Amino acid sequence: MKIGFVGLGNVGGKLCGSLLRNGHDVGVLDLDPGKRAQFATQGAWIAESPAALMAACEAVITCLPSPAASAAVLEAPDGLLAAMEPGKIWMEMSTTDEAEVKRLGAKVIAAGGEAVDCPVSGGCHRAATGNIAIFAGCTRETFERILPLLTTMGRRVLHTGDLGSASVLKVITNFLATANLISCAEALTVAKGAGMDLNTAFEAIRISSGNSFVHETESQVILNGSRDISFTMDLVLKDIGLFQEVADRAGVPLEMNPLMISIFKDGIARYGARELSPNIIKRLEEATGLSVLAPGFPPEMVDDEPEEPGYEVQPPR
């Protein structure tokens, strides 16, 4: 299968790298000419437009920072839809809105193509090694066609149901990750204020009922001081905003998420939209005069698990 990849950012570039590393024929597009050139040196070929990419490929993946960016790539005069035809597949790997992916997917299907929302979860460090988790919303027939691609880019692959279902589950998991980040920031700041040794506090949380994936990863770069997980505050705000929209459509009144939106809006007002998301702890450091740092933690997360073949995860029934 000849594959197109649009969007070579922090996550997309790593997913595309997994395809190239495993011998796939990949054409790429990105607004950044430096990134295009970088992937050309890794064996990718560069397309002139989204339409040209779709015309040359059986499947095209988009991994972009916003629903608006994906819409532009599909609906522009030289967009993916201009070359959509029976047998071709659009795979949306961005974190996006359920309603928007269904809207664009309907256009793909009307043109004879197949549409999948297949966002990833597990951190950029796992995207780099092909060990990230992938959700996929589409027909079962389409899922089985693309499963070899998904298991190349990720280790655990879950078919979530119809188109749009994966995007709902993705923003749910990102809501939980954001809640964990805020709670870890508060817990570590309280530990510092209470005079605890932060290395010991980290380990106490890690081996306890208070542990989480976010603590095991983001707490480490918080304590190092780099605060670098290749994810920024504007992206957090986008994701929990999408979660709020899902809740609103479902008629579910929320209490925590509106507060979290307020916290990250304040963080953006203070530090800028492109500030690294774990630096939300700076609000607490500034309010208390405390420095929540400790020696011995890494500046960024590296996946120390070897790359392994992916597989489909079966939910309990």
PDB file of all heavy atoms in Angstrom, residues 8 35 54 56 74 76 80 89 93 99 114 155 173 189 199-200 208 234 262 304 308 312 316:
ATOM      1  N   LEU A   8       3.916  16.699   9.714  1.00  0.00           N
ATOM      2  CA  LEU A   8       5.123  16.052  10.233  1.00  0.00           C
ATOM      3  C   LEU A   8       5.588  16.717  11.528  1.00  0.00           C
ATOM      4  O   LEU A   8       6.780  16.916  11.746  1.00  0.00           O
ATOM      5  CB  LEU A   8       6.233  16.092   9.176  1.00  0.00           C
ATOM      6  CG  LEU A   8       5.872  15.444   7.829  1.00  0.00           C
ATOM      7  CD1 LEU A   8       6.955  15.727   6.796  1.00  0.00           C
ATOM      8  CD2 LEU A   8       5.650  13.945   7.988  1.00  0.00           C
ATOM      9  N   LYS A  35      11.113  20.258   7.242  1.00  0.00           N
ATOM     10  CA  LYS A  35      10.621  18.935   7.600  1.00  0.00           C
ATOM     11  C   LYS A  35      10.445  18.069   6.360  1.00  0.00           C
ATOM     12  O   LYS A  35      10.729  16.864   6.385  1.00  0.00           O
ATOM     13  CB  LYS A  35       9.307  19.056   8.372  1.00  0.00           C
ATOM     14  CG  LYS A  35       9.492  19.596   9.780  1.00  0.00           C
ATOM     15  CD  LYS A  35       8.176  19.730  10.521  1.00  0.00           C
ATOM     16  CE  LYS A  35       8.398  20.259  11.932  1.00  0.00           C
ATOM     17  NZ  LYS A  35       7.116  20.515  12.642  1.00  0.00           N
ATOM     18  N   MET A  54      -3.136  12.191  -2.711  1.00  0.00           N
ATOM     19  CA  MET A  54      -4.235  11.232  -2.728  1.00  0.00           C
ATOM     20  C   MET A  54      -4.295  10.483  -4.058  1.00  0.00           C
ATOM     21  O   MET A  54      -4.562   9.278  -4.087  1.00  0.00           O
ATOM     22  CB  MET A  54      -5.556  11.949  -2.442  1.00  0.00           C
ATOM     23  CG  MET A  54      -6.774  11.025  -2.430  1.00  0.00           C
ATOM     24  SD  MET A  54      -6.622   9.651  -1.240  1.00  0.00           S
ATOM     25  CE  MET A  54      -7.074  10.476   0.292  1.00  0.00           C
ATOM     26  N   ALA A  56      -1.901   9.600  -5.881  1.00  0.00           N
ATOM     27  CA  ALA A  56      -0.805   8.629  -5.981  1.00  0.00           C
ATOM     28  C   ALA A  56      -0.891   7.506  -4.957  1.00  0.00           C
ATOM     29  O   ALA A  56      -0.171   6.516  -5.079  1.00  0.00           O
ATOM     30  CB  ALA A  56       0.527   9.362  -5.825  1.00  0.00           C
ATOM     31  N   LEU A  74      -8.460  18.778   3.295  1.00  0.00           N
ATOM     32  CA  LEU A  74      -9.431  17.996   2.528  1.00  0.00           C
ATOM     33  C   LEU A  74     -10.203  18.827   1.522  1.00  0.00           C
ATOM     34  O   LEU A  74     -10.422  18.389   0.389  1.00  0.00           O
ATOM     35  CB  LEU A  74     -10.412  17.284   3.465  1.00  0.00           C
ATOM     36  CG  LEU A  74      -9.979  15.873   3.875  1.00  0.00           C
ATOM     37  CD1 LEU A  74      -8.997  15.912   5.044  1.00  0.00           C
ATOM     38  CD2 LEU A  74     -11.161  14.996   4.214  1.00  0.00           C
ATOM     39  N   ALA A  76      -9.784  22.120   0.284  1.00  0.00           N
ATOM     40  CA  ALA A  76      -9.196  23.110  -0.620  1.00  0.00           C
ATOM     41  C   ALA A  76      -9.359  22.635  -2.067  1.00  0.00           C
ATOM     42  O   ALA A  76      -9.559  21.451  -2.330  1.00  0.00           O
ATOM     43  CB  ALA A  76      -7.720  23.301  -0.284  1.00  0.00           C
ATOM     44  N   LEU A  80      -7.511  16.807  -0.604  1.00  0.00           N
ATOM     45  CA  LEU A  80      -7.651  15.358  -0.737  1.00  0.00           C
ATOM     46  C   LEU A  80      -8.947  14.967  -1.441  1.00  0.00           C
ATOM     47  O   LEU A  80      -8.973  14.014  -2.229  1.00  0.00           O
ATOM     48  CB  LEU A  80      -7.601  14.691   0.645  1.00  0.00           C
ATOM     49  CG  LEU A  80      -6.323  14.860   1.471  1.00  0.00           C
ATOM     50  CD1 LEU A  80      -6.463  14.115   2.795  1.00  0.00           C
ATOM     51  CD2 LEU A  80      -5.107  14.371   0.711  1.00  0.00           C
ATOM     52  N   ILE A  89      -8.554   5.657   0.978  1.00  0.00           N
ATOM     53  CA  ILE A  89      -8.861   5.779   2.405  1.00  0.00           C
ATOM     54  C   ILE A  89      -8.266   7.073   2.953  1.00  0.00           C
ATOM     55  O   ILE A  89      -7.098   7.386   2.703  1.00  0.00           O
ATOM     56  CB  ILE A  89      -8.285   4.588   3.209  1.00  0.00           C
ATOM     57  CG1 ILE A  89      -8.744   3.255   2.625  1.00  0.00           C
ATOM     58  CG2 ILE A  89      -8.693   4.690   4.683  1.00  0.00           C
ATOM     59  CD1 ILE A  89      -8.046   2.048   3.243  1.00  0.00           C
ATOM     60  N   MET A  93      -5.573  11.083  11.936  1.00  0.00           N
ATOM     61  CA  MET A  93      -4.871  10.742  13.178  1.00  0.00           C
ATOM     62  C   MET A  93      -4.731  11.940  14.101  1.00  0.00           C
ATOM     63  O   MET A  93      -4.108  11.837  15.162  1.00  0.00           O
ATOM     64  CB  MET A  93      -3.505  10.119  12.870  1.00  0.00           C
ATOM     65  CG  MET A  93      -3.620   8.832  12.063  1.00  0.00           C
ATOM     66  SD  MET A  93      -2.137   7.794  12.034  1.00  0.00           S
ATOM     67  CE  MET A  93      -2.287   6.973  13.640  1.00  0.00           C
ATOM     68  N   ALA A  99     -17.942  15.620  15.575  1.00  0.00           N
ATOM     69  CA  ALA A  99     -18.868  16.125  14.553  1.00  0.00           C
ATOM     70  C   ALA A  99     -18.128  16.508  13.278  1.00  0.00           C
ATOM     71  O   ALA A  99     -18.601  16.261  12.168  1.00  0.00           O
ATOM     72  CB  ALA A  99     -19.640  17.323  15.101  1.00  0.00           C
ATOM     73  N   GLU A 114     -13.159   5.701   1.787  1.00  0.00           N
ATOM     74  CA  GLU A 114     -13.398   5.206   3.144  1.00  0.00           C
ATOM     75  C   GLU A 114     -12.738   6.167   4.128  1.00  0.00           C
ATOM     76  O   GLU A 114     -11.665   6.706   3.844  1.00  0.00           O
ATOM     77  CB  GLU A 114     -12.837   3.792   3.307  1.00  0.00           C
ATOM     78  CG  GLU A 114     -13.438   2.789   2.338  1.00  0.00           C
ATOM     79  CD  GLU A 114     -12.685   1.466   2.337  1.00  0.00           C
ATOM     80  OE1 GLU A 114     -12.501   0.888   3.415  1.00  0.00           O
ATOM     81  OE2 GLU A 114     -12.272   1.018   1.248  1.00  0.00           O
ATOM     82  N   ARG A 155       1.465  -0.069  19.019  1.00  0.00           N
ATOM     83  CA  ARG A 155       1.520  -1.429  19.577  1.00  0.00           C
ATOM     84  C   ARG A 155       0.125  -1.955  19.887  1.00  0.00           C
ATOM     85  O   ARG A 155      -0.207  -3.084  19.531  1.00  0.00           O
ATOM     86  CB  ARG A 155       2.358  -1.461  20.855  1.00  0.00           C
ATOM     87  CG  ARG A 155       2.462  -2.879  21.419  1.00  0.00           C
ATOM     88  CD  ARG A 155       3.189  -2.950  22.749  1.00  0.00           C
ATOM     89  NE  ARG A 155       4.589  -2.578  22.620  1.00  0.00           N
ATOM     90  CZ  ARG A 155       5.461  -2.697  23.618  1.00  0.00           C
ATOM     91  NH1 ARG A 155       5.076  -3.165  24.788  1.00  0.00           N
ATOM     92  NH2 ARG A 155       6.715  -2.334  23.452  1.00  0.00           N
ATOM     93  N   THR A 173      -9.847  10.512  27.053  1.00  0.00           N
ATOM     94  CA  THR A 173      -8.558  10.166  27.664  1.00  0.00           C
ATOM     95  C   THR A 173      -7.693  11.405  27.866  1.00  0.00           C
ATOM     96  O   THR A 173      -6.959  11.493  28.862  1.00  0.00           O
ATOM     97  CB  THR A 173      -7.800   9.116  26.826  1.00  0.00           C
ATOM     98  OG1 THR A 173      -7.503   9.647  25.531  1.00  0.00           O
ATOM     99  CG2 THR A 173      -8.609   7.845  26.676  1.00  0.00           C
ATOM    100  N   THR A 189       3.622  20.284  44.564  1.00  0.00           N
ATOM    101  CA  THR A 189       3.817  21.583  45.212  1.00  0.00           C
ATOM    102  C   THR A 189       3.493  21.499  46.701  1.00  0.00           C
ATOM    103  O   THR A 189       4.211  22.073  47.539  1.00  0.00           O
ATOM    104  CB  THR A 189       2.960  22.661  44.538  1.00  0.00           C
ATOM    105  OG1 THR A 189       3.206  22.677  43.136  1.00  0.00           O
ATOM    106  CG2 THR A 189       3.289  24.045  45.098  1.00  0.00           C
ATOM    107  N   ASN A 199      12.195  13.647  45.754  1.00  0.00           N
ATOM    108  CA  ASN A 199      12.515  12.334  45.178  1.00  0.00           C
ATOM    109  C   ASN A 199      11.728  11.244  45.895  1.00  0.00           C
ATOM    110  O   ASN A 199      11.175  10.328  45.268  1.00  0.00           O
ATOM    111  CB  ASN A 199      14.009  12.059  45.277  1.00  0.00           C
ATOM    112  CG  ASN A 199      14.836  13.052  44.487  1.00  0.00           C
ATOM    113  OD1 ASN A 199      14.942  14.216  44.884  1.00  0.00           O
ATOM    114  ND2 ASN A 199      15.403  12.615  43.377  1.00  0.00           N
ATOM    115  N   THR A 200      11.665  11.352  47.205  1.00  0.00           N
ATOM    116  CA  THR A 200      10.904  10.376  47.991  1.00  0.00           C
ATOM    117  C   THR A 200       9.409  10.527  47.714  1.00  0.00           C
ATOM    118  O   THR A 200       8.690   9.527  47.594  1.00  0.00           O
ATOM    119  CB  THR A 200      11.182  10.574  49.493  1.00  0.00           C
ATOM    120  OG1 THR A 200      12.590  10.461  49.726  1.00  0.00           O
ATOM    121  CG2 THR A 200      10.448   9.539  50.332  1.00  0.00           C
ATOM    122  N   SER A 208       2.003   3.870  44.874  1.00  0.00           N
ATOM    123  CA  SER A 208       0.765   3.928  45.658  1.00  0.00           C
ATOM    124  C   SER A 208      -0.466   3.947  44.775  1.00  0.00           C
ATOM    125  O   SER A 208      -0.389   3.944  43.550  1.00  0.00           O
ATOM    126  CB  SER A 208       0.773   5.189  46.526  1.00  0.00           C
ATOM    127  OG  SER A 208       0.517   6.321  45.713  1.00  0.00           O
ATOM    128  N   ASP A 234      -1.797  25.446  24.451  1.00  0.00           N
ATOM    129  CA  ASP A 234      -2.901  25.656  23.514  1.00  0.00           C
ATOM    130  C   ASP A 234      -3.514  24.334  23.067  1.00  0.00           C
ATOM    131  O   ASP A 234      -4.737  24.237  22.857  1.00  0.00           O
ATOM    132  CB  ASP A 234      -2.445  26.489  22.319  1.00  0.00           C
ATOM    133  CG  ASP A 234      -1.291  25.867  21.549  1.00  0.00           C
ATOM    134  OD1 ASP A 234      -0.536  25.063  22.124  1.00  0.00           O
ATOM    135  OD2 ASP A 234      -1.120  26.202  20.360  1.00  0.00           O
ATOM    136  N   SER A 262     -10.555  26.925  32.723  1.00  0.00           N
ATOM    137  CA  SER A 262     -10.198  28.213  33.317  1.00  0.00           C
ATOM    138  C   SER A 262      -8.721  28.245  33.719  1.00  0.00           C
ATOM    139  O   SER A 262      -8.026  29.255  33.502  1.00  0.00           O
ATOM    140  CB  SER A 262     -11.086  28.480  34.535  1.00  0.00           C
ATOM    141  OG  SER A 262     -10.686  29.649  35.211  1.00  0.00           O
ATOM    142  N   ASP A 304      11.871   3.283  26.792  1.00  0.00           N
ATOM    143  CA  ASP A 304      12.934   2.293  26.943  1.00  0.00           C
ATOM    144  C   ASP A 304      12.482   0.873  26.610  1.00  0.00           C
ATOM    145  O   ASP A 304      13.233  -0.087  26.785  1.00  0.00           O
ATOM    146  CB  ASP A 304      13.517   2.335  28.364  1.00  0.00           C
ATOM    147  CG  ASP A 304      12.456   2.124  29.444  1.00  0.00           C
ATOM    148  OD1 ASP A 304      11.291   1.831  29.099  1.00  0.00           O
ATOM    149  OD2 ASP A 304      12.792   2.260  30.638  1.00  0.00           O
ATOM    150  N   GLU A 308       8.003  -3.350  19.285  1.00  0.00           N
ATOM    151  CA  GLU A 308       7.413  -4.679  19.131  1.00  0.00           C
ATOM    152  C   GLU A 308       6.275  -4.621  18.128  1.00  0.00           C
ATOM    153  O   GLU A 308       5.663  -3.574  17.929  1.00  0.00           O
ATOM    154  CB  GLU A 308       6.875  -5.184  20.475  1.00  0.00           C
ATOM    155  CG  GLU A 308       7.959  -5.447  21.508  1.00  0.00           C
ATOM    156  CD  GLU A 308       7.389  -6.040  22.793  1.00  0.00           C
ATOM    157  OE1 GLU A 308       6.165  -6.283  22.838  1.00  0.00           O
ATOM    158  OE2 GLU A 308       8.167  -6.249  23.733  1.00  0.00           O
ATOM    159  N   GLU A 312      -4.158  -6.080  17.735  1.00  0.00           N
ATOM    160  CA  GLU A 312      -5.479  -5.565  18.052  1.00  0.00           C
ATOM    161  C   GLU A 312      -5.849  -5.915  19.485  1.00  0.00           C
ATOM    162  O   GLU A 312      -5.722  -7.072  19.912  1.00  0.00           O
ATOM    163  CB  GLU A 312      -6.533  -6.124  17.095  1.00  0.00           C
ATOM    164  CG  GLU A 312      -7.931  -5.577  17.392  1.00  0.00           C
ATOM    165  CD  GLU A 312      -9.023  -6.152  16.524  1.00  0.00           C
ATOM    166  OE1 GLU A 312      -8.716  -6.964  15.615  1.00  0.00           O
ATOM    167  OE2 GLU A 312     -10.198  -5.802  16.753  1.00  0.00           O
ATOM    168  N   PRO A 316     -13.103  -6.227  26.961  1.00  0.00           N
ATOM    169  CA  PRO A 316     -13.831  -7.302  27.668  1.00  0.00           C
ATOM    170  C   PRO A 316     -15.310  -7.272  27.333  1.00  0.00           C
ATOM    171  O   PRO A 316     -15.906  -6.210  27.159  1.00  0.00           O
ATOM    172  CB  PRO A 316     -13.591  -6.958  29.156  1.00  0.00           C
ATOM    173  CG  PRO A 316     -13.292  -5.491  29.164  1.00  0.00           C
ATOM    174  CD  PRO A 316     -12.598  -5.215  27.875  1.00  0.00           C
TER     175      PRO A 316
END
